[in-house]
Amino acid sequence: MWRGAAAALLGLAAACLLRRGFEPRARLLSAAELRRYRGAPGEPGLYLALLGRVFDVQRGRKHYGPGGAYSGFAGRDATRAFASGDFTPAGLVDTVSGLSPAELLSIHSWLSFYSDNYEPVGKLVGRFYDENGAPTEALREVEAAIEQALKLQAQSDQKKQQFPPCNSEWSSAKGTRFWCSRESVLLGLNCNRVSLSVPSGGVPRAWAGVPRQLHRPGSQGARCVCVRSSGPPWGQPGSSQHSDRGDLDNPHLQQYEGCHPLAEQCVLLTG
């Protein structure tokens, strides 16, 4: 139940961020007026817009001013380019149709960045705000899509916490090795050994786990995940009636043939 409440709070927080700073004090600018704010000599300032919200980016003039790497963003709403990375005239537009959830999350991240680092000065009348400064249906649709993307991300993060990916390596002589660990992992790089203080799968946790194949309904194949082998099953932290096997009894898991059921590593020999 707490996870459902957390998801609800996440959606509320997203809505607050999307609306933060949008309200009454905001000045309304037309597209023609915004084009005057590209930071060139004689122009009144340096602005850009994201999802119709206008920010004063004078502090970042070396990036957004004439000759800067991101000068194409100045004086316009180029929301799509924040997700696509297309800085051509065709890409520096405000339409967000067809963007993936990951791309919408990128826009959300950039909105957070500008809200935290630059002064909001107004709203751009057009796709996302009408002539009265009220949100358009297009903006409401984007906000709903971003909130849905955030929920999907939260669900994905929860799955990674329950079943973090294994570490793996392969060699023609030894086959494939899967392992789970909370300790630092040594990787080879240009004949040097570099220590990375991350657990297997890069997911921080208080347990190492044992390798298992995870099969998802409706998907082909399986992937190696680290599975908690003691305590109550995932989602039942307060339960006293359990077999003290963690998530080993999850029906979507399969043990690797020939590997000890509680070993933290498994080697599959090349056949």
Side-chain angles (χ1 to χ4, degrees):
M1 184 168 63
W2 66 267
R3 288 190 179 83
L9 288 173
L10 180 62
L12 180 61
C16 290
L17 172 62
L18 289 167
R19 297 298 177 126
R20 188 173 71 189
F22 280 40
E23 298 313 322
R25 61 188 182 129
R27 164 186 170 196
L28 298 180
L29 295 90
S30 67
E33 186 175 6
L34 182 59
R35 282 195 293 272
R36 297 176 54 234
Y37 288 80
R38 291 177 294 187
E43 292 185 342
L46 183 57
Y47 293 173
L48 63 73
L50 177 60
L51 284 181
R53 183 177 177 182
V54 182
F55 294 90
D56 184 338
V57 293
Q58 180 64 40
R59 288 176 50 229
R61 184 176 183 82
K62 66 179 181 180
H63 304 295
Y64 303 104
Y70 303 110
S71 60
F73 289 101
R76 70 174 87 198
D77 187 328
T79 294
R80 191 178 191 86
F82 284 96
S84 69
D86 181 358
F87 297 166
T88 68
L92 292 166
V93 294
D94 61 358
T95 176
V96 295
S97 60
L99 292 182
S100 68
E103 289 171 324
L104 291 171
L105 288 177
S106 178
I107 290 174
H108 179 264
S109 178
W110 278 109
L111 180 59
S112 177
F113 169 79
Y114 285 107
S115 298
D116 290 340
N117 292 279
Y118 293 99
E119 182 69 23
V121 295
K123 305 172 184 177
L124 176 63
V125 176
R127 184 180 300 275
F128 301 114
Y129 291 97
D130 65 21
E131 62 276 6
N132 297 313
T136 64
E137 183 62 26
L139 179 60
R140 285 190 286 268
E141 289 177 357
V142 176
E143 290 177 344
I146 289 176
E147 288 184 34
Q148 181 60 29
L150 286 166
K151 290 178 182 178
L152 292 174
Q153 183 186 51
Q155 292 171 3
S156 176
D157 290 344
Q158 286 182 10
K159 290 176 182 176
K160 286 183 180 179
Q161 286 292 333
Q162 182 182 11
F163 296 128
C166 302
N167 288 314
S168 64
E169 64 179 8
W170 176 88
S171 73
S172 58
K174 297 181 179 180
T176 302
R177 180 169 76 103
F178 299 108
W179 76 97
C180 299
S181 175
R182 287 184 294 133
E183 300 174 354
S184 57
V185 180
L186 292 177
L187 299 177
L189 179 64
N190 295 330
C191 300
N192 296 317
R193 294 179 71 79
V194 180
S195 178
L196 301 178
S197 296
V198 294
S200 53
V203 178
R205 57 190 186 276
W207 47 273
V210 297
R212 287 291 189 274
Q213 299 177 74
L214 176 64
H215 298 264
R216 288 295 186 190
S219 63
Q220 296 182 345
R223 61 187 179 90
C224 183
V225 297
C226 296
V227 180
R228 198 161 44 84
S229 57
S230 64
W234 177 264
Q236 302 177 33
S239 173
S240 58
Q241 310 236 333
H242 59 80
S243 58
D244 195 32
R245 285 173 49 83
D247 291 308
L248 289 178
D249 296 323
N250 187 293
H252 301 305
L253 298 173
Q254 182 178 342
Q255 184 179 330
Y256 283 101
E257 187 176 351
C259 296
H260 190 281
L262 295 179
E264 292 184 356
Q265 71 169 345
C266 181
V267 178
L268 304 181
L269 300 178
T270 302

